[in-house]
Structure formats: C-alpha cells, structure tokens
Amino acid sequence: MLGWALTFLVIAIIAAVFGFGGIASASAGIAQILFFVFLVLFVVALIARAVRGRRV
C-alpha cells in the first residue's frame, strides 16, 4: 500500500513539472488517501499485536 502511495506521489510530481495541473492534483490526492489508509492499518496492526501479546 505504501508503494502505491509513493507511486502516485511520483506521478504527481512528474505531472506538476510538466504542467498537467489536473493530473498532478488527482495523483497527489490519491497518494495522500493511500498514505493515510496505510498509516491507519499500521496503527491497527501495532495495537492488535500489543493486545494479543507474544505467544511462545
């Protein structure tokens, strides 16, 4: 998921350099959404691991 966010971020930067404002803003928006989804899933995974504890 983080890879997709980085991919869309790179697309947004390249589109912005070439002057494609609509594509750049759309790609940046998608990258931002994917990054926050990744961040939420990461926090949920950390909490689940802390609650479950370590099994032997």
Side-chain angles (χ1 to χ4, degrees):
M1 178 103 34
L2 189 57
W4 282 105
L6 291 174
T7 301
F8 278 107
L9 179 64
V10 169
I11 291 171
I13 291 171
I14 291 171
V17 167
F18 289 120
F20 300 114
I23 296 171
S25 63
S27 295
I30 292 170
Q32 186 176 16
I33 290 168
L34 288 175
F35 177 75
F36 284 120
V37 168
F38 169 78
L39 195 61
V40 167
L41 290 175
F42 178 70
V43 170
V44 167
L46 284 178
I47 292 171
R49 183 173 170 95
V51 169
R52 202 171 20 166
R54 187 175 209 194
R55 291 193 227 186
V56 177

